[in-house]
Amino acid sequence: VPVTETICVGGSASEFSVSYTKGLGTPSYQWYSNTVYSNTGGTPIFGAVSDTYQPVIFTSTGTYYYYVEVSLDGVGCTSSNSDVYEVEVVADPVIDSEPISTQSLCVGGTAIDLSVSISGGVASSMNYQWYSNTLNSNTGGDVIVGASASSYTPASNQEGTFYYYAVVRQSASDCSVVSSVSELKVIAI
């Protein structure tokens, strides 16, 4: 598990784990949260008493710190604190440029490219996926196979009204954003 991890609001950090060497006796564990980067002076987390700890879903931005105290019940053994586990929670990415809201063309015409640009979130690669929908909604659509770039040119070989949107994901937990819907009306010649 990385000692430092960056995720987005609504995301989940990787499970923390600790192991130890040396000492004598049966171990006991207590995980702590802290407001500063320190492995002392934290607040005990109720019920977090094993060698692993899964933080709750993070609902606000900020930097959160955790550590664990390992104690052995052997005679003369003292406790030891782990390094600090740091979780930085950033705001979700945002779309700076939405796809065109609507366009109309005749069957076989050339559609204007749909494109999105985003900023924020974490500094990681962007994964784009475009969807088509029969409804004017940016949920519940069908994946357009191969449409995995920041822009997409919709087909115009069939008459009807079609809706498109993009979902952009980053590698960190829950870092994603959904574009607005772009409507395409294809009219018979």
Side-chain angles (χ1 to χ4, degrees):
V1 174
V3 175
T4 300
E5 186 174 11
T6 303
I7 64 173
C8 287
V9 170
S12 177
S14 300
E15 182 178 70
F16 305 148
S17 64
V18 68
S19 61
Y20 68 92
T21 58
K22 302 183 181 178
L24 176 69
T26 303
S28 61
Y29 304 90
Q30 178 59 62
W31 289 87
Y32 293 81
S33 63
N34 214 341
T35 57
V36 295
Y37 189 93
S38 175
N39 66 351
T40 60
T43 302
I45 301 169
F46 179 76
V49 292
S50 73
D51 61 347
T52 61
Y53 173 66
Q54 178 64 61
V56 297
I57 300 296
F58 292 90
T59 58
S60 59
T61 61
T63 305
Y64 302 84
Y65 306 101
Y66 301 89
Y67 64 93
V68 63
E69 179 184 63
V70 182
S71 302
L72 296 171
D73 63 3
V75 175
C77 290
T78 59
S79 62
S80 181
N81 291 354
S82 71
D83 290 336
V84 175
Y85 296 80
E86 179 180 349
V87 180
E88 182 183 5
V89 182
V90 299
D92 286 322
V94 295
I95 294 184
D96 297 322
S97 175
E98 294 278 3
I100 186 171
S101 61
T102 186
Q103 60 180 309
S104 299
L105 57 130
C106 291
V107 171
T110 302
I112 297 171
D113 287 351
L114 310 179
S115 63
V116 294
S117 64
I118 73 165
S119 61
V122 297
S124 69
S125 61
M126 308 294 176
N127 297 308
Y128 299 89
Q129 181 60 62
W130 288 89
Y131 292 80
S132 64
N133 209 341
T134 56
L135 305 172
N136 188 356
S137 173
N138 64 357
T139 61
D142 296 320
V143 170
I144 302 172
V145 176
S148 56
S150 61
S151 63
Y152 170 69
T153 306
S156 61
N157 57 349
Q158 183 180 349
E159 181 184 358
T161 301
F162 308 92
Y163 302 97
Y164 302 94
Y165 64 94
V167 176
V168 186
R169 292 183 175 86
Q170 297 171 323
S171 59
S173 177
D174 207 50
C175 290
S176 64
V177 64
V178 181
S179 78
S180 61
V181 175
S182 180
E183 178 187 61
L184 172 64
K185 293 180 179 179
V186 182
I187 302 160
I189 298 174

